[in-house]
Amino acid sequence: QPARGAERALARLEPESGCMVGAFIDRDDRLKSRRFGPQTHGEIEQFNRMAGRSHASFFTYLGFQREFPADWSHYVRQHGAIPQLAWEPQSLSQVTPEALNRFVAALQRYGGPVILRFASEMNGAWTPYHRDPAAYRQAFRQVHQALRRAPKAALLWCPNALPMDNFAAYYPGDDACDWVGVNFYSVMFLDNDPRRPGDWIHPIDLLQRVYARFSKTKPIAIGEYAASHQSSVHPTQRIDFARIKMSQLYQALPLRFPAVKLVSWYNCNNLIQARKERQLNNFQLSDVPEILEEYSGWVNEPWFLGAGQSTAPRQAQPFPSVVPGPLEIEPWVRSYEPNPQVFLRLDGRLIGLHQLPRGGRTLLPELKPGAHRLEVLVYDTSGRYVTRKVYAFQAL
């Protein structure tokens, strides 16, 4: 159906509908590099050509003590995209009025849009600002108050999906952030342990809790996501794993999670580029043509927004009880089965077959006025029946 506007007031830099596609590209060794100040960044033009889509956002990491990267931000902006900064202090004691005033003055001089992801993954013990939730909330509120003087800067609060039981303790309040986000990854082995395979974890499991808690009041961002195709404990490439997990997430976003307004892929081979203790997985899109092709297909779907776009042309809705005219159907099934088959049967007649998660769409045939019945039947990859759902509806 045509996309509808938000029911609440839009937050800073929030698109009216649709989900912006973003990426981290600074450590893709297949890209040319650009140097801005002390830091090297990936070339945006080459990445956009490679992915087949001009991305709406790019993110980079920035230590809290460093200056605002104006030159890089202008470079991102020249390509119609919004820079996102993972702005990370080494200690909350760095958050002083003087430091914030300097940074805000630089934002004002820059004058363009920017998303600031301040002190993310605070619920994880690996961050240096994890120990005192009250002090964290206070520091975050200081940052928020300072950034009100830079009206084109949006502040993103972004925990990690795991652990799931403690992130609410760090939330600074609805009045102290513009966006809420979550970082998560699909990996073949949890904690790099071959006895703990990650195949059974559906990526929406890692999104669901933050989404359920905050999506009615805030736009949601997936600050970092990627699906691994190679692990340090299992170096043989698992192209199928990366494609399936990617597809499970990107198909679900427009159908089940319309408040997710930004998703950013972490495009990096951590087996080489990460610190030694984090050299666990390869998330680089450009390594494998099949994975890059899969990614390109998803980010070119009409719900996903590229550079300069603020509204998606269409928005999914639950199947209605009254069908007033032509209707296009896209089935979605939440399943740990990697490639379930979905049959669509209208009034006892087969009208569609879809192999998920890539899915597909079926246009309902012309309907006579009156009562009708749509069945959605799910089978596993071995052809065994799993479940079904029936929709009774009226055609006008």
Side-chain angles (χ1 to χ4, degrees):
Q1 295 188 7
R4 299 182 305 175
E7 296 177 358
R8 52 172 173 74
L10 295 176
R12 288 186 176 188
L13 306 185
E14 178 186 359
E16 182 179 352
S17 65
C19 177
M20 297 186 291
V21 289
F24 172 74
I25 64 172
D26 290 353
R27 296 175 194 154
D28 186 336
D29 53 11
R30 294 176 184 264
L31 296 179
K32 298 175 184 177
S33 61
R34 294 285 189 99
R35 177 168 287 276
F36 297 96
Q39 193 166 344
T40 299
H41 301 271
E43 187 177 88
I44 290 174
E45 303 96 315
Q46 185 182 359
F47 178 78
N48 282 340
R49 286 196 306 270
M50 182 180 73
R53 188 71 193 269
S54 293
H55 281 56
S57 179
F58 291 90
F59 79 84
T60 194
Y61 298 95
L62 184 75
F64 186 85
Q65 74 284 357
R66 288 176 48 199
E67 294 182 359
F68 174 72
D71 290 342
W72 175 77
S73 298
H74 280 297
Y75 172 62
V76 174
R77 191 178 176 190
Q78 286 168 5
H79 292 84
I82 299 173
Q84 180 193 154
L85 301 179
W87 195 27
E88 299 177 347
Q90 287 301 309
S91 167
L92 294 177
S93 64
Q94 292 180 312
V95 183
T96 64
E98 295 77 16
L100 292 174
N101 287 339
R102 285 195 301 271
F103 200 84
V104 168
L107 283 173
Q108 292 169 334
R109 290 191 296 272
Y110 162 63
V114 62
I115 296 172
L116 290 168
R117 177 162 41 113
F118 174 71
S120 59
E121 301 186 2
M122 77 304 295
N123 57 321
W126 55 88
T127 61
Y129 36 79
H130 163 79
R131 295 178 182 173
D132 189 339
Y136 177 89
R137 295 194 304 269
Q138 182 180 9
F140 202 100
R141 295 185 70 87
Q142 285 181 270
V143 172
H144 178 265
Q145 184 176 8
L147 289 180
R148 297 307 88 183
R149 293 183 276 124
K152 293 185 180 180
L155 183 59
L156 168 61
W157 178 79
C158 188
N160 198 66
L162 299 172
M164 288 186 177
D165 59 350
N166 67 343
F167 66 77
Y170 298 87
Y171 186 54
D174 286 350
D175 62 336
C177 66
D178 300 300
W179 291 59
V180 166
V182 60
N183 292 351
F184 57 93
Y185 290 81
S186 294
V187 296
M188 290 177 276
F189 302 103
L190 306 182
D191 296 326
N192 215 34
D193 185 346
R195 297 168 298 179
R196 300 175 64 203
D199 299 71
W200 61 273
I201 298 179
H202 198 293
I204 70 167
D205 294 343
L206 303 173
L207 168 63
Q208 181 63 50
R209 190 160 183 178
V210 166
Y211 190 89
R213 167 67 175 79
F214 297 105
S215 62
K216 291 181 180 176
T217 56
K218 297 292 179 182
I220 305 298
I222 298 174
E224 297 179 18
Y225 175 74
S228 171
H229 62 271
Q230 191 176 22
S231 166
S232 62
V233 299
H234 192 280
T236 302
Q237 288 189 346
R238 284 277 309 278
I239 297 172
D240 61 327
F241 179 90
R243 293 180 66 183
I244 288 168
K245 295 303 178 185
M246 177 199 305
S247 295
Q248 286 176 338
L249 177 65
Y250 281 76
Q251 189 201 21
L253 292 182
L255 299 180
R256 301 291 294 179
F257 301 95
V260 173
K261 298 296 185 76
L262 170 64
V263 55
S264 293
W265 185 278
Y266 176 81
N267 176 48
C268 183
N269 182 357
N270 274 7
L271 297 175
I272 299 172
Q273 301 289 352
R275 299 190 303 269
K276 185 175 181 181
E277 67 273 14
R278 299 187 66 181
Q279 292 180 349
L280 307 179
N281 287 282
N282 185 355
F283 304 109
Q284 190 163 301
L285 291 168
S286 57
D287 272 4
V288 181
E290 296 93 329
I291 295 175
L292 182 59
E293 181 181 11
E294 189 79 31
Y295 177 80
S296 179
W298 283 113
V299 298
N300 278 284
E301 287 286 316
W303 179 249
F304 294 103
L305 305 177
Q309 292 182 295
S310 60
T311 305
R314 294 189 300 176
Q315 180 168 334
Q317 302 290 341
F319 193 85
S321 59
V322 177
V323 174
L327 193 68
E328 194 174 51
I329 303 168
E330 181 174 355
W332 180 82
V333 175
R334 185 198 181 286
S335 172
Y336 296 116
E337 164 72 38
N339 297 112
Q341 297 182 85
V342 178
F343 293 83
L344 299 177
R345 198 159 60 188
L346 177 66
D347 298 330
R349 181 167 61 91
L350 184 67
I351 62 169
L353 167 61
H354 300 277
Q355 185 89 32
L356 301 186
R358 189 59 177 143
R361 301 183 182 96
T362 294
L363 184 66
L364 278 184
E366 189 172 344
L367 298 169
K368 293 181 179 180
H372 295 273
R373 176 185 173 97
L374 177 70
E375 294 175 273
V376 181
L377 301 103
V378 181
Y379 290 76
D380 67 15
T381 49
S382 300
R384 293 174 296 190
Y385 169 77
V386 177
T387 189
R388 74 169 182 163
K389 188 164 185 177
V390 178
Y391 298 89
F393 67 97
Q394 295 286 325
L396 298 181

